[in-house]
Amino acid sequence: MRDFQYLCNIQEVQEDKATIVQIGKRSIGVFKLNDGSIHALLNLCPHKGAALCEGPVCGTTKETNDYEFEYIQRNEIIRCAWHGWEFDIKTGEFIVDRKIKARKFLTEIKNQKVYIQLPS
């Protein structure tokens, strides 16, 4: 079992943007979603290597049967600032092709502190 490493205090994490934390050589974006859950992604876009988590936190649209769009997943999508690729913060999956993923880390909250599980 891999150990969890301290990342930041939960009060430092906002709902509308990533909190960027450096652990060793890794830059990690920490997110608080509308439901209060905490998620962490490697700050590296799998497309061209941009600082993914420095892009805007947003939502996306879904098509309806009435030729209209419905706005969904508000504050659950991170959009890469370089080329606009959008990733689901909960899963790390690229919205257009779910086989492409940003690196996601398991998080844990203890005593108002956020911990992350890093690979050994």
Side-chain angles (χ1 to χ4, degrees), residues 75-119:
N75 294 332
E76 294 183 7
I77 304 294
I78 184 71
R79 182 182 303 134
C80 181
W82 278 14
H83 300 108
W85 283 37
E86 294 178 329
F87 296 84
D88 185 319
I89 292 169
K90 287 182 180 178
T91 65
E93 295 173 337
F94 177 42
I95 298 300
V96 175
D97 181 352
R98 303 256 178 209
K99 291 179 273 182
I100 299 172
K101 295 182 181 183
R103 177 67 190 266
K104 179 155 174 52
F105 298 98
L106 185 60
T107 59
E108 186 174 279
I109 309 299
K110 285 186 184 175
N111 300 321
Q112 299 297 304
K113 296 179 191 296
V114 179
Y115 295 85
I116 186 173
Q117 190 177 48
L118 294 173

